[in-house]
Amino acid sequence: MTANDHEIATAASNQPSRWSLVWIVPLFTLLMGGAILFWHYSVQGPEVRLLVENAEGIQAGKTLIKSRSVAIGSVESVTLAEDLHHVEIKVRLNSGMEKLLHADTLFWIVKPYIGREGVTGLSTLLSGAYIELQPGRSGARPAHYSLLKMAPYAAASTAGIRVTLVSAKAGQLTPGDPVLFRGYRVGRVEKGRLDTDKRRMLYQLFIAAPYDRLVTANVHFWKESGIAVAISASGMRIEMGSLTTLLSGGVSFDVPEGWERGEKAADKTEYLLFDDRESTEHSLYTTHIDYLLFFTNSVRGLQPGAPVEFRGVRLGTVDRFPLYLPDGAQDLREGYRVPVLIRIEPDRFINAINQGVDAAARIREAMKRGLHAKLKTGNLLSGSLYIDLDFYPTVAAYKGPETVAGYKVIPTLGSGLNQLQQKLLITLDKLTGLPLNPLVTEATGTLRESGRTMQALQSTLRNINALIASPAMRQLPLETQQTLREMARSLKGLQPGSPAYATLTENMQQLDRVLRELQPVLKTLNKKSNSLILEAQPEQDPQPEKAR
């Protein structure tokens, strides 16, 4: 080795090394940071996306996720969704909470709320709103969940049945209203929505087990309004429900009396919501025969739904009036008659009259025997009318058309105030024809004769008193004296000043005054027999004749 080579080898050995102990600290820090990040993401729970229309009270990093009052996560971010119509809330759950997430898992906001069920969420006044999680049981976890505004009545997995009620009117039911069976609460109204395609309201009810067995194919649902007051031709009807329905209303259901229960209903079955229980009874009669009636007098007070009765037994219902008829059905020159369409319901007819009969044939046969329809007052307070069917054999036979505009016609009779006025006029005419003047004259003569009789009786009493006080009276036998004394005591009650005498005199004076006051009335009736109904025109005072 030369001297130059030795120098080069010595210089190379004296150069500093590239790896130093200083690099150990940053490498260790990097490894620790990586381990921490790995541990953080490895133990981190699942992320859940929630969609809600309004995120009022929800704050990122503060709002907690709880299940049964135990914190299991928190809100990470609150942003607008891509459609700009919803709010997207990203929630991070704790590790191990994946088993709570299924297709039927529910999330809702818990905050102070005042409703029909009372006051809830008061604890959030100080701690703030939070999100409650109700664990699910089945189904794969979806991409996002809907955040409910309030706690659901029952989870989708809760044993029971959900049915849908159909109504033509909104506002019939409100979420939270009770569902009753014979007054006992068995469920609750969950929600309501408007079906814009069919233009109807749909209300969803949940009835928990074991009461779901009560919902069968033949049950009917009706609205409970607490207090129901109805005035119709049948009179006044007042119904009062339980305290629960009195405050908030609700809905009841039951099987109509006499009907079979039917098979158990399937989930999501649709039922019609009736206004009251009476409406459910009328709905049982679905088949009907239409008849047309023509009335010449006023039908004010008659309402669609009014009963059609036969001697107090309901056989049908008033459908509608006035009924539109094609041109030429009536001749206005002969007077307009109000057309009223009624429905004879064969089921009512068969149950009330006889079993196994043809209702149409019976009515056709009855019209040959004088069956007519007449309007009658069912309620004097409201003026409600109903239609009464009955036999009037003395009335002239009906000679009109049997059918009009395709409807069979039942003949009618006038009724109401017109007949009452005619009967009253006939009665007044008979009263006017009575010989009242001779009666008054005879009564006046009777009073005069009664006065003379009283004077003679007074004279007789004075003679009897004088006879008793005479000395000869003492010579009569004791029995005769006793008899005369008894007679004197009996007649003393008729002497002037006695109660009987005063009463008899007063009655005679009153009778005389009545007869005097009756004379002007009799004179007025003789001149105008209907003056008791129509006010008589006052007569002019007699004018003295002018001097010639």
Side-chain angles (χ1 to χ4, degrees):
M1 177 180 296
T2 62
N4 291 333
D5 294 337
H6 184 270
E7 291 178 359
I8 293 172
T10 305
S13 62
N14 293 334
Q15 291 181 356
S17 176
R18 295 181 179 180
W19 298 98
S20 175
L21 295 177
V22 178
W23 290 100
I24 297 177
V25 175
L27 289 176
F28 179 77
T29 303
L30 182 61
L31 291 176
M32 289 296 295
I36 292 173
L37 289 176
F38 176 78
W39 177 83
H40 173 75
Y41 284 104
S42 63
V43 300
Q44 193 175 37
E47 182 184 72
V48 180
R49 294 172 58 240
L50 305 178
L51 293 180
V52 67
E53 293 182 357
N54 190 344
E56 181 183 1
I58 305 300
Q59 297 181 7
K62 293 184 178 181
T63 303
L64 299 178
I65 312 299
K66 295 184 178 181
S67 179
R68 299 183 181 181
S69 300
V70 177
I72 59 174
S74 62
V75 175
E76 287 189 340
S77 64
V78 180
T79 59
L80 286 176
E82 295 181 357
D83 59 1
L84 302 180
H85 295 291
H86 296 82
V87 177
E88 180 178 334
I89 302 175
K90 291 185 178 180
V91 174
R92 180 69 64 179
L93 301 182
N94 297 338
S95 178
M97 296 295 105
E98 297 88 349
K99 54 187 176 183
L100 301 178
L101 301 176
H102 295 280
D104 53 353
T105 300
L106 298 177
F107 293 84
W108 67 89
I109 302 175
V110 179
K111 56 184 178 180
Y113 176 77
I114 301 176
R116 294 183 177 180
E117 301 296 327
V119 181
T120 59
L122 288 179
S123 60
T124 60
L125 289 175
L126 300 177
S127 62
Y130 63 91
I131 297 177
E132 181 74 17
L133 183 150
Q134 180 174 286
R137 294 185 178 182
S138 60
R141 185 177 72 179
H144 64 271
Y145 293 92
S146 296
L147 182 60
L148 305 178
K149 295 181 180 180
M150 57 184 302
Y153 178 66
S157 59
T158 304
I161 186 174
R162 283 179 170 85
V163 297
T164 303
L165 302 186
V166 180
S167 175
K169 296 184 292 185
Q172 292 283 84
L173 300 175
T174 305
D177 287 346
V179 179
L180 307 175
F181 178 80
R182 298 182 182 179
Y184 186 81
R185 182 167 183 168
V186 297
R188 196 178 76 168
V189 178
E190 288 189 323
K191 59 182 179 180
R193 67 179 181 88
L194 175 63
D195 186 354
T196 56
D197 295 334
K198 298 182 179 180
R199 298 187 178 184
R200 60 180 185 173
M201 285 297 300
L202 301 178
Y203 300 99
Q204 180 174 302
L205 278 59
F206 178 77
I207 301 172
Y211 309 115
D212 55 340
R213 295 179 296 177
L214 301 174
V215 184
T216 57
N218 292 332
V219 298
H220 285 64
F221 290 82
W222 65 90
K223 176 81 169 59
E224 287 283 2
S225 57
I227 299 179
V229 180
I231 300 178
S232 62
S234 302
M236 177 179 291
R237 179 177 58 88
I238 301 178
E239 293 183 358
M240 179 177 294
S242 62
L243 182 60
T244 302
T245 58
L246 185 64
L247 297 177
S248 61
V251 58
S252 294
F253 70 95
D254 203 348
V255 178
E257 185 177 358
W259 278 44
E260 297 292 335
R261 297 180 181 179
E263 299 293 332
K264 182 180 177 181
D267 201 40
K268 302 295 183 180
T269 302
E270 289 189 358
Y271 293 92
L272 184 63
L273 177 61
F274 294 93
D275 292 334
D276 48 38
R277 183 160 192 168
E278 185 178 5
S279 301
T280 64
E281 298 175 358
H282 297 329
S283 68
L284 304 179
Y285 307 100
T286 56
T287 59
H288 55 83
I289 306 174
D290 295 337
Y291 288 91
L292 191 59
L293 310 178
F294 289 96
F295 290 100
T296 56
N297 52 327
S298 175
V299 294
R300 182 180 181 85
L302 186 66
Q303 298 290 336
V308 178
E309 299 181 354
F310 173 77
R311 297 179 180 178
V313 179
R314 181 162 184 170
L315 299 181
T317 305
V318 175
D319 186 13
R320 61 184 184 272
F321 68 92
L323 180 68
Y324 172 77
L325 297 176
D327 297 338
Q330 292 198 70
D331 189 355
L332 295 180
R333 293 173 297 180
E334 299 178 357
Y336 180 75
R337 300 174 299 168
V338 181
V340 178
L341 184 65
I342 66 172
R343 293 181 172 182
I344 298 298
E345 293 148 350
D347 292 336
R348 294 182 187 269
F349 193 95
I350 294 173
N351 294 335
I353 305 301
N354 196 359
Q355 294 288 342
V357 300
D358 186 356
R362 284 296 179 91
I363 293 180
R364 184 169 56 253
E365 178 184 351
M367 284 192 291
K368 296 179 181 179
R369 297 170 50 195
L371 181 71
H372 286 72
K374 181 184 290 188
L375 287 174
K376 288 189 177 182
T377 302
N379 191 292
L380 294 177
L381 296 177
S382 62
S384 301
L385 301 178
Y386 70 97
I387 295 178
D388 181 69
L389 301 177
D390 208 340
F391 295 102
Y392 298 91
T394 59
V395 179
Y398 174 68
K399 299 181 180 179
E402 294 184 358
T403 60
V404 174
Y407 297 104
K408 299 179 182 178
V409 178
I410 296 180
T412 62
L413 292 177
S415 59
L417 186 59
N418 294 332
Q419 288 190 347
L420 181 61
Q421 290 176 347
Q422 294 177 0
K423 292 181 180 180
L424 185 57
L425 290 175
I426 295 174
T427 304
L428 292 176
D429 292 338
K430 292 182 180 179
L431 182 62
T432 305
L434 293 177
L436 295 180
N437 289 332
L439 291 177
V440 174
T441 304
E442 185 69 23
T444 304
T446 302
L447 288 176
R448 294 194 186 98
E449 291 296 332
S450 299
R452 288 193 290 268
T453 301
M454 293 297 298
Q455 293 177 359
L457 181 60
Q458 293 177 10
S459 178
T460 302
L461 290 174
R462 286 194 295 269
N463 294 333
I464 292 176
N465 291 332
L467 179 62
I468 293 174
S470 63
M473 180 64 184
R474 300 174 182 173
Q475 299 177 0
L476 294 176
L478 295 178
E479 294 181 358
T480 304
Q481 294 180 14
Q482 185 66 25
T483 302
L484 292 177
R485 290 191 183 95
E486 293 293 336
M487 184 181 297
R489 281 195 298 270
S490 300
L491 295 176
K492 187 180 296 184
L494 298 176
Q495 294 180 0
S498 63
Y501 182 84
T503 302
L504 183 60
T505 304
E506 183 180 358
N507 291 339
M508 290 183 179
Q509 293 175 354
Q510 290 180 356
L511 179 59
D512 183 63
R513 286 194 299 270
V514 171
L515 293 176
R516 292 179 184 275
E517 293 175 355
L518 189 59
Q519 288 180 359
V521 178
L522 296 177
K523 291 179 180 180
T524 303
L525 290 176
N526 287 330
K527 294 180 181 179
K528 189 175 183 181
S529 62
N530 60 352
S531 60
L532 290 178
I533 299 177
L534 303 176
E535 182 180 2
Q537 299 295 331
E539 297 182 356
Q540 297 181 354
D541 296 335
Q543 301 293 331
E545 296 182 358
K546 297 181 180 179
R548 296 181 180 178

